[in-house]
Amino acid sequence: MLSKEDQRRFEQITRHLRESDPKFFARLDHRARARRGRWLMILTIVLWASLPAMTVLAGRMAGAICAVVLAANAALMWRVRRRWQ
């Protein structure tokens, strides 16, 4: 955790970098978004792969909960992908 002074200085440096070299800042921002999208994709694959087994082994309620989580994940992925465009 940064102190208030360090946080203020960090924000000042970030603001200066954004103004002086926007291409570099855009590349960094794109990498962070790509990483977030990658984790959402991995979560989607794991949830879809485990959904049938969860439903059989843990019952319909676990399957329903997994389906709700998948729907929320799909909404997040749609939102992240839409920002990339």
Side-chain angles (χ1 to χ4, degrees), residues 1-8 10:
M1 195 74 188
L2 296 175
S3 68
K4 287 185 179 184
E5 179 63 29
D6 291 338
Q7 183 66 31
R8 187 187 63 75
F10 178 73

Side-chain angles (χ1 to χ4, degrees), residues 3-18:
S3 68
K4 287 185 179 184
E5 179 63 29
D6 291 338
Q7 183 66 31
R8 187 187 63 75
R9 179 70 180 139
F10 178 73
E11 289 172 2
Q12 186 181 21
I13 292 169
T14 305
R15 191 177 327 111
H16 176 70
L17 179 62
R18 185 180 295 134

Side-chain angles (χ1 to χ4, degrees), residues 16-29:
H16 176 70
L17 179 62
R18 185 180 295 134
E19 293 168 358
S20 65
D21 195 359
K23 289 180 183 179
F24 175 74
F25 199 83
R27 283 196 316 262
L28 286 179
D29 189 43

Side-chain angles (χ1 to χ4, degrees), residues 5-73:
E5 179 63 29
D6 291 338
Q7 183 66 31
R8 187 187 63 75
R9 179 70 180 139
F10 178 73
E11 289 172 2
Q12 186 181 21
I13 292 169
T14 305
R15 191 177 327 111
H16 176 70
L17 179 62
R18 185 180 295 134
E19 293 168 358
S20 65
D21 195 359
K23 289 180 183 179
F24 175 74
F25 199 83
R27 283 196 316 262
L28 286 179
D29 189 43
H30 180 69
R31 289 183 70 198
R33 287 182 183 173
R35 197 174 316 122
R36 192 176 318 132
R38 211 173 312 139
W39 281 110
L40 286 173
M41 184 60 72
I42 290 170
L43 178 63
T44 302
I45 292 168
V46 168
L47 286 173
W48 275 112
S50 65
L51 179 62
M54 282 180 87
T55 304
V56 170
L57 297 175
R60 288 184 179 182
M61 183 59 95
I65 291 170
C66 190
V68 169
V69 171
L70 274 168
N73 187 8

